[in-house]
Amino acid sequence: MSQTKYIFVTGGVTSSLGKGIIAASLAKLLQARGYKTTIQKLDPYINVDPGTLNPYEHGECYVTDDGAETDLDLGHYERFLNVKTSQANNVTTGRIYQSVIEKERRGEFLGKTVQVVPHITNEIKRRVQLLGNSGEYDIVITEIGGTVGDIESLPYIESVRQLLWELGDSNAIVIHLTLVPYLSAAGELKTKPTQHSVKTLMESGIKADVLVCRTEHEISNEIKDKLALFCNVKREAVIQSIDASTIYDVPLLMQEEGLDTVVLKKLALRDDIEPDLTQWKEFLGQHKNPKNEVNIGLIGKYVELQDSYKSILEAFIHAGAVNEVRVNVKSIHSEHLSEKSLQKELKDLDGILVAPGFGERGIEGKIKAVQHARENNIPFLGICLGMQMAVIEYARNVLGLKDANSTEMDENTPNPVINLMEEQKTVTNKGGTMRLGAWDCELLEGSLVKKVYNGADSISERHRHRYEFNSDYKAQLEAKGLKATGINKKTNLVEIVEIPEHPWFIGVQYHPEYKSTVASPHPLFVGFVKAALVHKTQ
């Protein structure tokens, strides 16, 4: 293919309709037909990236290999496509304006008055085409965050209008995702919100090529005809997106509706190759027909919002399918864990995962959960802060250092078993200043974690943290049975701890959940779920 084709996905009526899942599902279908496809997300908020956002505000912050703190939709892209994303796959208004202002300060605009059009729109267009100009992709799908009509989305919509004109017919199209609500009082689906949304898009100079209609009920042919007529799209380009039991059903539902066929036709691309979805269907079959089930306790402090731990929950789905096990995740708020409630909250669990997080709220509950898992031989996985809590718990209750802590929680602790990295001590900015992205880790011979990683000598995993295992305490902790089994040779920092005497107890400083995909479930989650099943059947 000589020229990269572009697909823009916009949303209307309301947010949270699932633009990311539709974009990922379409990309999966195109990839399964042999097209090299990637997806990027344009976010209209002014934060430079979501790294400083509270998880309650925006869900989890997803981290790429190259250290970009990005929108959680990039997690969907990687999980569906099994292709790594990067800085270029997520752009925010904050990053756009920052870039333009820096150019203005350097005098690159030669004294011109810097304006939204053309300077901001030109920068957006440049970012949109970065991946396409790399020569690596046949098709680039660009998801526009927010909803058509939002003030903050206007520069992106204008940039799309210009790109459609510049790229020419058959080289770029727009898919508009809207809601077709069901009014129970009237007992019918209503098309008017979609009509208004398409009209708003047209007022910005953009005609939708494909309509994807989110709905709770089947959309009749009559309604599809009506939408086609009043929204000025071809009849076959009105696509139903009905609520599914799992997001992993959506590519198959989109295939049934002919979304990929319509898109390829509009882009003047060959569609004579049937999508190869064999592995995808095998995964779905295993996921939907488990032979057993396990109960895992997820101990965190953002559990009210499921999106806060999105990648962890999805990694359990991938690992559950491999083990032919349904993983029932019980979300437990660490702030509410006390000596009194501990037994009640943690009973009947086959495994305990202590989740990542920042700050001192809910810390003591996490430490109690670690102790419960350790003393009762329950399979345990600690991720990032969860690993640090495991070190603190061991130092306090086994080593006898009752005042052991992290300097994140207590700057003056006499036993800082978790401490700030030296290079972090002078950092004042919060955004993008942690240890981020992929770092290598050497695995200790004979360790459980080496077995979990199928005998690998070294691994590469993604990080997002400031505080580290304090190696001054390594000898003491190891002498008492908490082994450091993963080390970054470059920095000599401890990445993994485990207890060899325990059936399955591993704490990792990195975030394994970021690298788990449908095609490559993460070995740590696969091993953890398998250990939980063994614990249950003993």
Side-chain angles (χ1 to χ4, degrees):
M1 244 178 72
S2 56
Q3 183 171 356
T4 302
K5 307 280 187 171
Y6 292 87
I7 300 168
F8 298 99
V9 181
T10 59
V13 184
T14 177
S15 59
S16 302
L17 289 182
K19 289 194 299 292
I21 300 298
I22 292 297
S25 298
L26 174 58
K28 182 72 214 172
L29 293 174
L30 296 173
Q31 182 193 58
R33 286 175 178 263
Y35 291 104
K36 288 179 287 184
T37 310
T38 190
I39 322 173
Q40 62 184 174
K41 174 84 182 281
L42 306 183
D43 271 312
Y45 50 76
I46 297 175
N47 302 65
V48 172
D49 59 46
T52 54
L53 288 173
N54 186 314
Y56 287 132
E57 285 272 331
H58 205 70
E60 78 170 6
C61 175
Y62 186 80
V63 177
T64 59
D65 265 7
D66 64 351
E69 293 177 284
T70 70
D71 186 82
L72 62 80
D73 273 339
L74 268 72
H76 292 312
Y77 306 163
E78 287 203 13
R79 285 188 282 274
F80 276 54
L81 297 181
N82 201 37
V83 173
K84 290 175 182 175
T85 54
S86 69
Q87 292 272 3
N89 293 79
N90 192 201
V91 182
T92 67
T93 294
R95 197 174 289 281
I96 295 289
Y97 272 81
Q98 185 182 53
S99 178
V100 170
I101 289 167
E102 284 171 358
K103 285 178 182 176
E104 185 273 331
R105 292 289 83 188
R106 290 194 298 267
E108 288 186 25
F109 297 121
L110 304 173
K112 294 276 187 189
T113 303
V114 180
Q115 296 174 289
V116 173
V117 181
H119 301 98
I120 296 299
T121 51
N122 282 349
E123 180 64 15
I124 292 169
K125 288 191 293 181
R126 185 184 75 81
R127 298 285 183 131
V128 165
Q129 294 177 94
L130 272 179
L131 290 165
N133 293 338
S134 70
E136 292 178 39
Y137 304 103
D138 301 320
I139 300 168
V140 175
I141 300 175
T142 303
E143 178 193 344
I144 314 291
T147 310
V148 168
D150 295 346
I151 290 172
E152 57 264 36
S153 295
L154 288 175
Y156 292 103
I157 298 298
E158 170 58 18
S159 300
V160 170
R161 185 197 67 75
Q162 291 181 21
L163 278 169
L164 291 168
W165 184 80
E166 289 168 9
L167 291 165
D169 293 344
S170 303
N171 290 321
I173 63 167
V174 173
I175 296 174
H176 192 53
L177 178 64
T178 75
L179 178 69
V180 178
Y182 180 79
L183 295 187
S184 52
E188 61 180 347
L189 291 163
K190 305 303 285 185
T191 64
K192 194 63 75 178
T194 293
Q195 292 178 50
H196 278 297
S197 180
V198 170
K199 183 182 176 185
T200 303
L201 191 62
M202 291 179 82
E203 285 171 357
S204 299
I206 296 174
K207 175 188 173 299
D209 296 286
V210 180
L211 269 187
V212 177
C213 306
R214 275 301 305 273
T215 177
E216 295 175 356
H217 299 267
E218 291 282 342
I219 296 176
S220 66
N221 288 331
E222 185 185 3
I223 289 177
K224 283 189 174 183
D225 290 339
K226 184 178 178 182
L227 284 166
L229 177 64
F230 289 117
C231 297
N232 202 25
V233 297
K234 290 273 197 294
R235 169 64 178 73
E236 67 269 20
V238 179
I239 306 292
Q240 170 185 283
S241 175
I242 199 161
D243 291 357
S245 59
T246 167
I247 59 171
Y248 300 107
D249 278 327
V250 180
L252 301 182
L253 292 173
M254 291 301 98
Q255 186 187 21
E256 282 174 27
E257 285 287 306
L259 176 61
D260 51 332
T261 303
V262 169
V263 164
L264 290 171
K265 185 178 174 183
K266 288 187 176 293
L267 291 174
L269 293 173
R270 288 177 56 185
D271 72 340
D272 54 345
I273 300 168
E274 272 299 301
D276 181 6
L277 295 165
T278 310
Q279 187 185 25
W280 193 270
K281 289 173 180 175
E282 281 175 10
F283 156 75
L284 264 177
Q286 289 175 315
H287 172 53
K288 291 187 172 185
N289 300 286
K291 293 176 181 173
N292 218 318
E293 61 181 295
V294 294
N295 299 313
I296 304 286
L298 192 160
I299 320 296
K301 53 184 178 178
Y302 312 114
V303 294
E304 297 93 336
L305 183 68
Q306 291 287 292
D307 276 358
S308 301
Y309 302 113
K310 192 68 183 169
S311 291
I312 290 175
L313 297 175
E314 298 306 317
F316 274 130
I317 289 174
H318 309 153
V322 171
N323 286 292
E324 296 184 279
V325 168
R326 175 182 287 112
V327 181
N328 301 316
V329 178
K330 180 184 179 186
S331 297
I332 300 165
H333 203 303
S334 59
E335 210 172 4
H336 303 154
L337 273 182
S338 61
E339 294 291 350
K340 210 180 274 184
S341 67
L342 196 72
Q343 294 301 326
K344 182 188 168 195
E345 289 282 8
L346 303 185
K347 72 173 184 178
D348 301 327
L349 292 179
D350 306 307
I352 290 174
L353 183 147
V354 175
F358 293 92
E360 61 184 315
R361 186 171 65 90
I363 288 308
E364 294 304 321
K366 289 190 174 187
I367 292 170
K368 286 183 176 68
V370 175
Q371 184 178 5
H372 181 83
R374 180 178 61 80
E375 292 178 348
N376 292 283
N377 285 333
I378 299 169
F380 168 82
L381 177 58
I383 297 177
C384 199
L385 185 67
M387 173 266 209
Q388 297 174 3
M389 295 303 101
V391 173
I392 293 169
E393 189 279 326
Y394 210 88
R396 286 183 185 179
N397 298 322
V398 180
L399 210 54
L401 305 175
K402 293 297 178 189
D403 50 10
N405 213 330
S406 165
T407 51
E408 182 181 6
M409 320 309 164
D410 179 2
E411 285 182 25
N412 303 310
T413 176
N415 285 297
V417 292
I418 304 295
N419 204 357
L420 197 61
M421 293 185 286
E422 278 305 314
E423 60 266 33
Q424 289 286 336
K425 289 181 178 176
T426 55
V427 169
T428 52
N429 285 355
K430 295 292 185 201
T433 55
M434 292 182 276
R435 182 148 78 103
L436 289 163
W439 290 68
D440 293 333
C441 174
E442 305 286 325
L443 302 181
L444 187 71
E445 202 64 50
S447 63
L448 171 60
V449 79
K450 188 174 174 72
K451 186 179 169 188
V452 164
Y453 278 95
N454 301 312
D457 293 321
S458 70
I459 56 171
S460 173
E461 295 282 1
R462 299 176 189 177
H463 293 65
R464 184 177 182 250
H465 62 97
R466 274 196 177 81
Y467 294 80
E468 300 280 359
F469 180 104
N470 187 343
S471 293
D472 293 346
Y473 291 87
K474 183 168 173 268
Q476 294 178 64
L477 287 163
E478 290 205 313
K480 285 288 188 178
L482 184 72
K483 304 294 182 185
T485 55
I487 308 283
N488 178 273
K489 290 291 186 189
K490 194 176 172 184
T491 59
N492 216 29
L493 291 168
V494 172
E495 302 275 24
I496 307 169
V497 297
E498 62 181 72
I499 304 174
E501 301 304 311
H502 190 282
W504 209 97
F505 189 105
I506 294 175
V508 296
Q509 183 60 80
Y510 49 83
H511 289 260
E513 68 274 20
Y514 292 150
K515 290 185 75 171
S516 187
T517 70
V518 169
S520 303
H522 197 284
L524 263 178
F525 280 88
V526 173
F528 181 45
V529 170
K530 186 184 280 186
L533 184 60
V534 170
H535 179 269
K536 179 185 178 175
T537 52
Q538 278 176 344

